[in-house]
Amino acid sequence: MQRWLPEPFIFAILLTFVAAVIAMPICHQTPIEVIEHWGGGVWNLLAFAMQMALVLVCGSTLAAAPSIKQGIDALARIPKSPAAAIALVTIVSALCCWLNWGFGLIVGVIFAKAIARHLSGVDYRLLIASAYSGFVVWHAGLSGSIPLTMATPGDALSTATNGALTSPVPVSQTILDPHNIVIVVLVIVAITVANTLMHPKKDAVTVDPALLEEGTENFGELKNTKDFTPAQRMEHSPLLSWMIALLLASYLVVKLVFRGGSLDLGIVIMIFLSLGLMLHGSPLAYVRAFGKAATGASGIILQFPFYAGIMGIITGVGASGICMGTVIADACIRISNPTTYPLLTFLCAALLNMFVPSGGGHWAIQAPIMFTAGADLGVDAGLTGTAIAWGDAWTNLIQPFWALPALAIAKLSARDIMGYCLVDLLITGVIICGGLIIWAI
């Protein structure tokens, strides 16, 4: 990986041309049609890109608050050996990602950095890879977009699945199904053991703790307050920070408690934002800490439009009347039987995820096809949806798209962690494939 894996932006460029070259013969798309599909899709992820940038920056800003930093540092002092550090980071990250993927993706790498500041001899690359490896369970967890979409009543469900699903599929048949829970537990145990065993006996790649310090200064705070102008008093007023933070918190209570909303990415961002405003003490302190954290969002801002363009190619319909995603799904269906169908659905989703690393994108491409075929074969809808979800999450281990926020916080490149993640991919693949086959039987 160190030798062959390029910078994630180069990876996105290469995937663009691979998708274009494949789409032309398979879907009978002309070069002009491919260009139109690509250009038409480039801006389709703007809202999501903004959410990803905000979850990164707001999460990092919250972690830089003095009280939060002290709490994380206290937890980071618990492990006393490199092996214990790797195991703890893996477990914490995986559990947090199972609860909510946006929360876990940021918390895991922040916790890993804190451990690296306090524990000497731990391999920093493996530590960050361990934090990211926990992300593999997110789509089988409580924030999994496909299982939650399946559980949402309304006409949209029937429309999206071409009438295959006429009533919601409860999470008891997907996320909380005992088969899925067992797979999740086995995956977490496996990556914990694998990551721990991958730690080098000697010559670990470490980082000077001073380079990982976030700084504890109170941004914008002035010692002499008696000469403040009215503008400065507003800038340094804790009251203003608390007022707007309480407004955000009030909305969260209404949304989650009284309206029965779910903990989606927007809610996670608002939680980070409201807590950060409270804990930084003043609007100016928060603004300056936010500005410092925002420098890490450049990769997201640059690369997400290119992945949106790739999605445009994959979902674009050529002269044959089908898109490339449909061709891949149909190929999976033709060689399936009731026992192998969930496994092949998983592998199909895993392949598509390299080009369309988005749960929503998978739903749009596969839902109209896979649920209809699954129903014809007599496969439970919950199993079909869970297989798609696991496929979407599995190849994230070697797809730099979702690693961008973690890498920005850790100040590493994709090649630094992907070798370790490739080992986790192989190990977890065996567990997930076996679990889906047993579930189908």
Side-chain angles (χ1 to χ4, degrees):
M1 284 293 184
Q2 283 282 350
R3 180 175 176 82
W4 289 103
L5 185 68
E7 205 276 341
F9 181 52
I10 306 300
F11 190 76
I13 293 174
L14 295 176
L15 280 178
T16 300
F17 289 107
V18 169
V21 169
I22 294 175
M24 283 187 282
I26 289 181
C27 303
H28 306 291
Q29 295 183 27
T30 66
I32 297 297
E33 287 176 327
V34 170
I35 291 172
E36 288 179 333
H37 292 150
W38 177 80
V42 162
W43 307 120
N44 287 342
L45 285 180
L46 280 182
F48 183 62
M50 184 64 173
Q51 285 184 312
M52 287 300 294
L54 282 174
V55 77
L56 164 62
V57 178
C58 291
S60 299
T61 306
L62 174 60
S67 57
I68 295 295
K69 187 173 183 298
Q70 291 170 6
I72 293 175
D73 285 347
L75 292 174
R77 297 177 189 275
I78 294 176
K80 304 302 182 183
S81 68
I86 297 298
L88 182 61
V89 165
T90 305
I91 293 171
V92 168
S93 174
L95 291 178
C96 289
C97 285
W98 189 84
L99 293 172
N100 181 272
W101 71 265
F103 177 75
L105 191 60
I106 301 302
V107 167
V109 70
I110 289 174
F111 184 48
K113 280 186 68 177
I115 287 179
R117 287 198 298 267
H118 296 293
L119 183 66
S120 61
V122 63
D123 192 289
Y124 185 61
R125 299 173 306 171
L126 177 57
L127 195 62
I128 300 303
S130 300
Y132 181 63
S133 67
F135 190 59
V136 71
V137 302
W138 85 269
H139 217 153
L142 299 181
S143 63
S145 57
I146 289 177
L148 293 179
T149 300
M150 293 170 60
T152 302
D155 294 336
L157 182 63
S158 177
T159 302
T161 59
N162 278 342
L165 296 181
T166 56
S167 59
V169 179
V171 294
S172 61
Q173 297 178 23
T174 53
I175 297 170
L176 301 180
D177 187 283
H179 296 90
N180 186 60
I181 296 295
V182 169
I183 295 174
V184 169
V185 172
L186 290 177
V187 164
I188 294 176
V189 171
I191 60 176
T192 301
V193 173
N195 290 341
T196 303
L197 293 176
M198 279 192 286
H199 196 279
K201 297 290 189 295
K202 57 182 180 178
D203 299 327
V205 177
T206 59
V207 177
D208 183 353
L211 299 177
L212 301 176
E213 288 295 336
E214 302 292 345
T216 57
E217 67 270 26
N218 292 321
F219 295 99
E221 298 299 328
L222 302 178
K223 294 181 179 180
N224 186 10
T225 60
K226 66 179 182 179
D227 296 327
F228 272 9
T229 65
Q232 288 175 318
R233 291 186 185 279
M234 286 187 288
E235 291 170 349
H236 293 82
S237 170
L239 179 62
L240 287 177
S241 286
W242 276 84
M243 287 174 61
I244 191 64
L246 289 174
L247 179 62
L248 289 166
S250 299
Y251 171 78
L252 292 174
V253 171
V254 172
K255 178 76 172 179
L256 296 175
V257 178
F258 295 103
R259 304 301 183 197
S262 60
L263 196 66
D264 57 23
L265 188 55
I267 296 298
V268 171
I269 293 170
M270 293 186 77
I271 291 173
F272 286 164
L273 182 58
S274 58
L275 289 175
L277 283 164
M278 290 180 185
L279 296 175
H280 273 281
S282 74
L284 186 58
Y286 188 80
V287 166
R288 294 187 175 177
F290 191 95
K292 183 178 179 181
T295 58
S298 59
I300 293 172
I301 296 169
L302 172 63
Q303 295 180 44
F304 271 45
F306 288 88
Y307 277 104
I310 294 171
M311 290 175 62
I313 296 174
I314 297 296
T315 58
V317 177
S320 62
I322 57 174
C323 68
M324 182 175 160
T326 302
V327 171
I328 296 173
D330 285 341
C332 162
I333 293 169
R334 283 196 296 269
I335 58 174
S336 297
N337 60 47
T339 302
T340 63
Y341 183 73
L343 172 62
L344 292 172
T345 299
F346 161 75
L347 295 174
C348 172
L351 175 61
L352 278 173
N353 187 60
M354 296 302 296
F355 298 93
V356 188
S358 162
H362 279 265
W363 179 258
I365 294 171
Q366 294 189 274
I369 307 165
M370 308 309 287
F371 285 100
T372 302
D376 292 341
L377 290 170
V379 178
D380 180 71
L383 175 54
T384 299
T386 305
I388 297 173
W390 271 113
D392 170 59
W394 181 51
T395 43
N396 284 334
L397 284 169
I398 54 170
Q399 162 55 271
F401 181 84
W402 291 108
L404 291 176
L407 294 171
I409 294 173
K411 296 180 174 58
L412 290 178
S413 67
R415 66 171 63 92
D416 291 320
I417 69 169
M418 285 300 167
Y420 302 109
C421 291
L422 177 61
V423 175
D424 288 331
L425 177 89
L426 298 175
I427 294 171
T428 56
V430 173
I431 295 172
I432 299 168
C433 289
L436 292 174
I437 291 174
I438 293 172
W439 191 345
I441 297 172

